[in-house]
Amino acid sequence: MIDLKKFEVWFITGTQDLYGEETLKQVAAHAQKVADSLNQESKIPVHVVYKPIVKTPEEIFETLQQANVTVNCIGIITWMHTFSPAKMWIRGLNILQKPLLHLHTQFNRDIPWSTIDMDFMNLNQSAHGDREFGFMVSRMRRDRKVVVGHWQDESVISEIEIWCRAAAGWNDWQGAKFARFGDNMRYVAVTDGDKVEAELKFGFSVNTYGIGDLVEIINSSSEQSIKELLTEYEDSYHIATNTPYSSIYEAAKIEIGLRKFLVDGGFKGFSDTFEDLHGMVQLPGIAVQRLMADGYGFAGEGDWKTAALVRACKVMGAGLPGGNAFMEDYTYHFDPTNSMVLGSHMLEIDASLANGKANLEVHPLGIGGKADPARLVFNVAGGNALNASLIDMGNRFRLLVNEVTAVNIENELPNLPVARVLWKPLPDMKTGCAAWIYAGGAHHTAYSQNLSTQHLLDFANIAGLEYINIGADTKITQFRNELHWNEVYYK
Ligand code: MN
């Protein structure tokens, strides 16, 4: 469902007319080589497209204007191989609406000690040419990513890869539609927020749909499609022989209807709430779990912000091993020598996190007052991961990230009928949880096994989001100061 290869980032090299034709030919040839080399990197998930070198304010303006209107262009990479007087960039940068990465590189890696002369010096000037460009971007208060190093260096390629993924996540939000069945869970604060401001800032819309409209589509699912899906369930999951057929049948029917609703409406994610299920036989469990695994963003109880964040994470992590999922900090293990969080939800844990073949089970649910829902039950593997939360602070949105170490689940949990994850927050349980609460982080998160804080930071910078990280170096006093200082910055 999510394919990043259809996207492009444009490689734009700035220069000026005064070098003469020969030098400019060399500039163009070098730029083409750098762009082609990046394009051939298997790590970089999108196409890197060489654009003709830009030498005048008009050429710069026209190229950046084209980038804006080219649907598949998700960002631009700039490089000043030579000197490109930066007043030439003002008009272009003023209208640029795509994310910007400034690659501060140089065509040659080493100084050719025995042959270096003034011709060489005139051609290889990015050490000062990129500073002139950087000044203008800073002078215009424009956020961008600066990557420094030789273009063949592994770390440089990794940084570009990460930024491309962040740009893809951002691009996916532009014009994205998220469906909300029912409102937020009554009285809940953190899942609510300003949808108008979110659309202005982030480009996605969130609108509500009557549960009755969904129920109508669910009820129109054909017998044939239900039978086919039940066969798929049987092939994909362990199903105990005493599992009530009618419950699984109903769950398959819900999945077919929900999927049809999302596909027909062109939605990238959705949210529902157990307080608004009128006409539904059971709460969607396995349906949501499988739709998330297919790339849809989701969060429970009307939490549209987390649904959108989960979707963005899925796009950023597309093609990488591991999953991105809706998660909730559920309960604690407060053993002082081995403190951990158990993450789960009532039902809806993303099937892409399953470590091995999941069980398809039917159990009563003490909430919602509906028939026993079918759900996938599984453990999630250990490893490095993170939790991210998007919250509305009233005058701004905040992206809060906590790095965690997930732990393999060694205990049998015979009476727990939901999928679950165990993790240890960094830097430690006490600091991690306190910092999260001081920052106002939600109980709902996007849980990622394949994104780093750098992906989320790049994404936040592109989105103009406040970014707060809780990691190995977090000290609570300093962390609280950061929150206080940010209040002034965002005033
Ligand atoms: Mn919840």
Side-chain angles (χ1 to χ4, degrees), residues 300-301 326 328 345 443-444:
E301 293 98 48
F326 166 52
E328 180 167 308
H345 206 253
H443 54 285
H444 283 172

Side-chain angles (χ1 to χ4, degrees), residues 279-349:
M280 291 193 77
V281 177
Q282 54 177 262
L283 193 68
I286 184 173
V288 172
Q289 293 180 284
R290 285 166 47 87
L291 285 162
M292 283 192 281
D294 288 342
Y296 287 100
F298 172 84
E301 293 98 48
D303 185 352
W304 53 274
K305 294 193 299 299
T306 305
L309 183 61
V310 167
R311 167 68 187 190
C313 288
K314 284 177 180 295
V315 173
M316 287 191 270
L320 298 174
N324 287 281
F326 166 52
M327 189 56 65
E328 180 167 308
D329 294 74
Y330 222 107
T331 199
Y332 287 149
H333 186 61
F334 259 147
D335 173 353
T337 62
N338 190 28
S339 291
M340 291 181 283
V341 181
L342 188 148
S344 189
H345 206 253
M346 290 189 302
L347 301 167
E348 311 94 333
I349 299 300

Side-chain angles (χ1 to χ4, degrees), residues 290-461:
R290 285 166 47 87
L291 285 162
M292 283 192 281
D294 288 342
Y296 287 100
F298 172 84
E301 293 98 48
D303 185 352
W304 53 274
K305 294 193 299 299
T306 305
L309 183 61
V310 167
R311 167 68 187 190
C313 288
K314 284 177 180 295
V315 173
M316 287 191 270
L320 298 174
N324 287 281
F326 166 52
M327 189 56 65
E328 180 167 308
D329 294 74
Y330 222 107
T331 199
Y332 287 149
H333 186 61
F334 259 147
D335 173 353
T337 62
N338 190 28
S339 291
M340 291 181 283
V341 181
L342 188 148
S344 189
H345 206 253
M346 290 189 302
L347 301 167
E348 311 94 333
I349 299 300
D350 194 320
S352 68
L353 296 183
N355 189 14
K357 196 170 178 177
N359 294 335
L360 204 179
E361 301 180 16
V362 175
H363 301 277
L365 191 68
I367 201 164
K370 294 285 169 181
D372 302 350
R375 81 289 302 271
L376 298 173
V377 180
F378 53 84
N379 287 337
V380 179
N384 291 337
L386 57 80
N387 275 304
S389 172
L390 180 62
I391 49 178
D392 184 344
M393 295 299 289
N395 63 343
R396 65 188 185 273
F397 291 96
R398 168 178 285 169
L399 184 62
L400 176 66
V401 176
N402 185 198
E403 296 164 78
V404 304
T405 308
V407 179
N408 284 318
I409 300 175
E410 307 292 351
N411 298 72
E412 292 294 321
L413 305 165
N415 297 316
L416 185 68
V418 284
R420 56 271 176 153
V421 195
L422 272 184
W423 67 75
K424 299 180 176 196
L426 293 183
D428 56 73
M429 185 83 168
K430 235 176 153 49
T431 311
C433 294
W436 188 270
I437 288 170
Y438 279 125
H443 54 285
H444 283 172
T445 59
Y447 178 84
S448 179
Q449 294 176 314
N450 56 25
L451 299 177
S452 66
T453 54
Q454 201 57 51
H455 291 96
L456 277 293
L457 177 60
D458 283 359
F459 181 76
N461 285 336

